[in-house]
Amino acid sequence: LAKNKINIANYSLGRSEQGPEPREAMSVVRIDGRIPDSVIHELRRIEAVTEAKAIHLPLPNPEKMAAAQ
């Protein structure tokens, strides 16, 4: 990600609680902005990476949240 000048805002790491050993690890990387498809394809070429996806979660609208209360 650094090679592509993508800033990591947050990084979370976990693993499955059940299943055969060795258990799979999973990481969630939150970045500032959107990630280009070319970078996702580059991540998928890393041997240790079994799956890479970009998921866009829109930020909540503060005005709508205030109106709902």
Side-chain angles (χ1 to χ4, degrees):
L1 297 175
K3 180 176 104 175
N4 291 285
K5 298 185 183 333
I6 295 174
N7 187 56
I8 296 173
N10 185 286
Y11 182 86
S12 298
L13 182 63
R15 66 173 184 209
S16 60
E17 292 186 21
Q18 297 179 358
E21 294 290 334
R23 291 182 266 169
E24 288 188 341
M26 178 178 78
S27 61
V28 177
V29 182
R30 182 174 166 227
I31 62 168
D32 296 331
R34 293 185 181 250
I35 189 165
D37 289 339
S38 60
V39 176
I40 293 292
H41 293 298
E42 197 173 332
L43 291 171
R44 290 178 181 150
R45 288 194 298 264
I46 298 171
E47 185 177 345
V49 175
T50 58
E51 189 172 350
K53 292 181 182 182
I55 301 171
H56 175 71
L57 301 174
L59 294 174
N61 182 328
E63 293 174 5
K64 281 187 176 179
M65 291 178 67
Q69 293 181 353

